[in-house]
Amino acid sequence: PKIVVVQDLDKPRLLGSMWGEVNANFFRSLGCIGCICDGAVRDLDEMTTAGFHAIGRGTCIGHAHGGIPLRWNLSVEVFGVTVRPGQLIHADKHGFLVVPEEDEEELLQVSEFMDTLERRHTIRVGKEACAMGNKTGMQISAEMQSAMQMFGREKAETFAAQNGMGVASNATSQSLHVTTS
């Protein structure tokens, strides 16, 4: 899916936004599922109804002057992260992550491995404690500490065998308070 990434040249002001109901529907019709904009977004309910997601620095109630990007298909800097055209991005309500091109090939395998480790070790502890209901906080904390150590050991052994940390250590991420639709 396509994500439009926009560098707002009006920083730090949030006087208006091109990202509202009209452009959400327009860009959705072009196959885009969302935008990352280090400026303002608006019409959040209407954007959600259109199936369009947005990460913005804030909200505003008005249109931007012109409302159309000045330049297309170039590197931009948003929230301190440089994004080049065509780069793989993971975005959700917590922020976004730009995946370095050299890590794209391994991404699915590494993500599945990390998800498996999480379920095997750390998530398991909490679920079992909830299901049993008879453990003390100290017991649960001790089990979680042990699970985190096993998680870390297994991760380190696996990635050391592959000559490095791969995707997990190279990706540029930005965690921020976001406005989402």
Side-chain angles (χ1 to χ4, degrees):
K2 298 174 192 164
I3 300 172
V4 181
V5 182
V6 178
Q7 179 178 349
D8 189 337
L9 299 177
D10 232 4
K11 288 187 286 286
R13 300 176 296 176
L14 294 173
L15 299 178
S17 175
M18 69 168 274
W19 291 109
E21 181 179 15
V22 172
N23 277 326
N25 281 289
F26 173 72
F27 281 93
R28 188 75 176 111
S29 74
L30 297 176
C32 299
I33 61 165
C35 70
I36 299 172
C37 176
D38 64 351
V41 296
R42 58 191 183 83
D43 300 341
L44 299 179
D45 293 337
E46 292 85 353
M47 289 173 76
T48 299
T49 299
F52 197 80
H53 306 277
I55 295 176
R57 191 165 41 91
T59 57
C60 68
I61 60 170
H63 296 274
H65 296 290
I68 303 296
L70 301 174
R71 293 182 301 270
W72 295 88
N73 204 29
L74 69 152
S75 294
V76 294
E77 184 177 312
V78 291
F79 300 105
V81 176
T82 299
V83 181
R84 293 185 315 279
Q87 276 194 291
L88 183 61
I89 297 172
H90 167 73
D92 63 18
K93 66 183 179 180
H94 304 292
F96 68 98
L97 175 109
V98 179
V99 179
E101 291 174 24
E102 64 270 15
D103 293 335
E104 288 179 10
E105 190 175 315
E106 300 174 23
L107 183 61
L108 179 60
Q109 178 184 354
V110 171
S111 296
E112 288 175 342
F113 173 75
M114 295 298 285
D115 186 57
T116 297
L117 281 185
E118 211 171 51
R119 283 185 278 116
R120 181 183 305 144
H121 297 298
T122 54
I123 293 173
R124 176 192 53 79
V125 172
K127 284 188 172 187
E128 287 177 1
C130 288
M132 296 175 72
N134 61 353
K135 293 184 178 181
T136 67
M138 292 297 286
Q139 289 171 317
I140 297 167
S141 293
E143 287 180 22
M144 181 58 83
Q145 186 67 29
S146 175
M148 290 168 53
Q149 289 172 350
M150 289 187 294
F151 178 106
R153 223 180 354 262
E154 194 170 340
K155 178 180 81 170
E157 289 168 2
T158 299
F159 288 120
Q162 296 177 3
N163 296 322
M165 290 298 290
V167 173
S169 66
N170 293 332
T172 302
S173 67
Q174 181 65 33
S175 179
L176 59 146
H177 177 73
V178 297
T179 304
T180 59
S181 61

